[in-house]
Amino acid sequence: MSEDLWPPHALDAPHVPDDAEAPAPRACGTGSVTLIIPTFNESGNVAELLRRLTASLPARPPCEVLFVDDSTDDTPAVIEKAAAGCPFPVTVLHRERPDGGLGGAVVEGIQRSGSDWIVVMDADLQHPPHLVPELVGEGTRTGADLVVASRYISGGSRAGLAGGYRVAVSRGATWLAKGLFPRALHGISDPMSGFFAMRRTAVTADALRPLGYKILLELAVRCRPARTAEVPFVFQDRYAGESKSTAREGLRFLTHLAALRSAAPLARMIGFGLIGLSGFVPNLLALWLLTHAGMHYLPAEIVANQAGVLWNFLLIEQLLFRDRRHRHWADRLGRFALLANADLLLRIPLIALFVGRLGLDVLPATALALVTTFVLRFAATEALVYLPRGSRAATVTRS
Ligand code: GDD
Ligand code: MN
């Protein structure tokens, strides 16, 4: 879809002024910068932000500001009014459908940008505007593809992070992310930062599937910039309004980590195995309940299996195949349940064999049979339930 968003000739293209409405990409020449600022109800901040940016941004390299707005208040109107006094172009891209929240907004901004550098920052002045030229300058000087404004290196601090609870959550999230992605996040002390500069050529925006807030994590893990640098910054207090992040963002973050971690086929199979293992719990629990209620173990196996199937389906959907849920959910559940029960059909004679011939108890025999049929089920699930990435267009036109 976006192969031609960054045409090789963009650097040499003359600057063509846009018509009034279309927020088209502007290719401005070497060193040009697009500042991408996601906004959600920030009407109290945007005028002051533009005022401070006007004081901070040099005339060269050429800069432009692109607000990607999902507001339900008058933020776009306030931006347009304040933009009149700005020496750089200001565009507001208001989205009717706020797909992907903050992260989705940033990706849309990146896709529309034709500058050499993109800088992502928040609208609430927690990110000091005077650091924008420093971020790009550091990248140019060191040859880095990604420059992160960090709260965790000498000279930086998180002064504006409200409360001990948020500090602890932020620190915990940082450790977790760095533990899961030691290589991709090597040299990035603050992967949760929402303030960074990246060379446009280093971004493969097609590969991005951000979920919620953690866009830097997404860029660092999926695009693997060859070289990174950091600049310290002091995370300020919010200028006006309230933070939009909620406890739900925390849950989204964990889901996001799982999706990033299981993007490789082998990692996905391991994830599938771990989820399958966790399915033992509801399965065996149901089996125990049913057999203790007096049901014969064979029909009890069938019923108990459904508890495991449902558990596995829910986890696999959320954690492993989130971006491949192209079929209708009922179709997916139907296929998944069918495969799992076909698996059970194969398992019943196996269990009977283990119980009858080897003299195993019902529970260990069931566990052994579950493991035996695992690989078969994984291959079939990949092939028959979840269409590969990128096949959405085909499915949509077909249905
Ligand atoms: N377009 C759009 N859509 N913008 C959004 C949305 C959304 O759904 N949600 C939030 N924003 C915008 C806000 O208007 C603000 O400009 C910026 O994204 C950050 O939102 P805040 O609500 O101020 O986030 P925060 O201060 O809690 O979190 C910031 O700091 C964290 C580090 O502690 C962000 O920069 C996080 O990315 C960062 O991890
Ligand atoms: Mn904020």
Side-chain angles (χ1 to χ4, degrees):
M1 181 187 106
S2 61
E3 298 88 58
D4 56 358
L5 283 168
W6 180 242
H9 57 266
L11 285 184
D12 306 314
H15 180 107
V16 184
D18 294 338
D19 53 47
E21 340 64 89
R26 265 175 266 246
C28 305
T30 309
S32 60
V33 179
T34 297
L35 231 97
I36 297 171
I37 307 178
T39 44
F40 183 74
N41 298 350
E42 300 288 3
S43 56
N45 290 312
V46 285
E48 178 62 15
L49 173 68
L50 284 173
R51 198 184 65 71
R52 292 201 205 165
L53 283 171
T54 301
S56 313
L57 296 183
R60 304 220 59 82
C63 294
E64 63 168 344
V65 175
L66 172 58
F67 286 95
V68 187
D69 179 73
D70 294 330
S71 297
T72 49
D73 70 357
D74 60 344
T75 300
V78 178
I79 296 172
E80 260 149 44
K81 191 154 164 263
C86 291
F88 40 78
V90 176
T91 309
V92 183
L93 168 67
H94 179 74
R95 306 195 302 166
E96 288 307 328
R97 277 183 38 200
D99 288 339
L102 168 53
V106 172
V107 169
E108 283 212 42
I110 294 173
Q111 285 170 335
R112 276 161 200 270
S113 131
S115 298
D116 301 336
W117 285 92
I118 50 157
V119 173
V120 177
M121 74 186 295
D122 294 350
D124 56 4
L125 291 157
Q126 292 194 285
H127 299 154
H130 71 265
L131 280 181
V132 173
E134 208 172 303
L135 287 176
V136 176
E138 183 70 8
T140 313
R141 207 170 53 73
T142 60
D145 290 321
L146 171 67
V147 185
V148 178
S150 169
R151 295 164 288 182
Y152 300 130
I153 52 174
S154 159
S157 97
R158 37 163 205 263
L161 204 55
Y165 168 74
R166 278 219 54 179
V167 171
V169 168
S170 176
R171 258 301 53 138
T174 303
W175 283 333
L176 185 60
K178 283 185 71 79
L180 282 171
F181 301 98
R183 267 176 303 156
L185 300 181
H186 180 76
I188 300 178
S189 61
D190 194 355
M192 302 298 127
S193 176
F195 191 20
F196 57 90
M198 191 156 175
R199 277 182 211 272
R200 183 61 182 83
T201 45
V203 182
T204 41
D206 264 0
L208 302 178
R209 281 170 193 75
L211 197 62
Y213 268 45
K214 306 307 173 192
I215 180 68
L216 172 60
L217 181 68
E218 173 84 15
L219 283 164
V221 171
R222 292 221 204 259
C223 304
R224 300 278 167 142
R227 212 195 261 200
T228 61
E230 291 195 311
V231 166
F233 89 107
V234 178
F235 193 69
Q236 305 291 325
D237 284 325
R238 219 173 204 280
Y239 183 72
E242 283 171 7
S243 169
K244 314 310 185 284
S245 69
T246 54
R248 193 153 177 255
E249 280 305 324
L251 204 64
R252 270 183 160 188
F253 168 66
L254 295 178
T255 313
H256 189 190
L257 280 181
L260 281 173
R261 193 58 287 181
S262 62
L266 178 62
R268 198 162 46 244
M269 178 146 150
I270 293 171
F272 192 86
L274 290 176
I275 291 173
L277 277 179
S278 75
F280 278 80
V281 178
N283 191 328
L284 296 181
L285 192 71
L287 186 66
W288 183 83
L289 285 173
L290 293 170
T291 48
H292 275 72
M295 198 187 262
H296 185 263
Y297 79 86
L298 284 180
E301 291 283 353
I302 297 172
V303 180
N305 195 52
Q306 309 317 310
V309 168
L310 201 63
W311 170 274
N312 288 350
F313 178 73
L314 292 175
L315 286 181
I316 281 164
E317 287 267 302
Q318 288 304 314
L319 301 179
L320 288 189
F321 292 104
R322 215 189 162 78
D323 56 339
R324 286 170 56 174
R325 296 182 298 187
H326 303 316
R327 297 183 195 279
H328 189 272
W329 71 265
D331 188 9
R332 299 195 303 271
L333 177 59
R335 283 164 183 265
F336 189 85
L338 210 66
L339 277 177
N341 286 293
D343 173 34
L344 183 67
L345 281 186
L346 181 67
R347 221 186 297 147
I348 294 289
L350 267 180
I351 294 168
L353 188 81
F354 294 153
V355 172
R357 290 283 166 86
L358 304 182
L360 290 181
D361 277 340
V362 176
L363 292 192
T366 306
L368 197 62
L370 279 165
V371 174
T372 319
T373 50
F374 159 73
V375 178
L376 268 179
R377 191 174 359 156
F378 175 68
T381 302
E382 276 239 281
L384 303 175
V385 183
Y386 298 99
L387 299 166
R389 264 189 196 155
S391 57
R392 188 207 308 252
T395 334
V396 170
T397 41
R398 240 186 283 136
S399 58

